[in-house]
Amino acid sequence: MDSLRLEIKQLLIEALDLDGMTPDDIPDDAPLFSTDGVGLDSIDALEIGILLRKKYQLTLLADDGRTHEHFRSIATLAELVQSQRGTEPRQDGTAAQAERS
């Protein structure tokens, strides 16, 4: 399992008090805000946003139309964190350092 995805899962389990859940219980592509997935709600979304801002110094804009997609799953949250860290995921799941001018 990708270490960033695992770290995000552990953060969410602890911060949202998801008692009885382990990182293995959350598939990387499971919808976070669906009863078919993890089943989180809008209050959880706010808490996740605050958590990610603090932990990873992310910039999240309320009027960004992509925010909903970024918060879809663990995989999309990890992609967001990687993109703002200046790294991009490779096909093999590892991260490549983005070129800086």
Side-chain angles (χ1 to χ4, degrees):
M1 179 181 299
D2 177 71
S3 62
L4 178 58
R5 291 178 185 192
L6 176 60
E7 183 176 286
I8 291 170
K9 289 177 185 183
Q10 290 171 328
L11 287 170
L12 296 186
I13 289 168
E14 292 171 17
L16 302 177
D17 295 321
L18 301 177
D19 295 329
M21 289 191 84
T22 68
D24 290 335
D25 294 331
I26 306 172
D28 290 348
D29 291 321
L32 294 175
F33 302 94
S34 168
T35 54
D36 295 337
V38 181
L40 302 180
D41 61 26
S42 59
I43 300 298
D44 295 325
L46 292 172
E47 290 185 47
I48 292 169
I50 292 167
L51 177 70
L52 294 176
R53 283 183 182 141
K54 287 181 180 179
K55 175 74 176 174
Y56 302 108
Q57 293 76 48
L58 294 186
T59 301
L60 301 170
L61 304 174
D63 60 348
D64 186 343
R66 298 172 298 170
T67 300
H68 181 74
E69 180 57 27
H70 292 313
F71 279 61
R72 187 182 62 75
S73 67
I74 295 296
T76 57
L77 286 174
E79 289 171 10
L80 174 64
V81 170
Q82 288 176 330
S83 72
Q84 290 201 19
R85 282 183 171 174
T87 60
E88 298 174 1
R90 291 184 188 166
Q91 297 263 4
D92 63 3
T94 62
Q97 189 68 20
E99 291 183 27
R100 299 184 189 245
S101 343

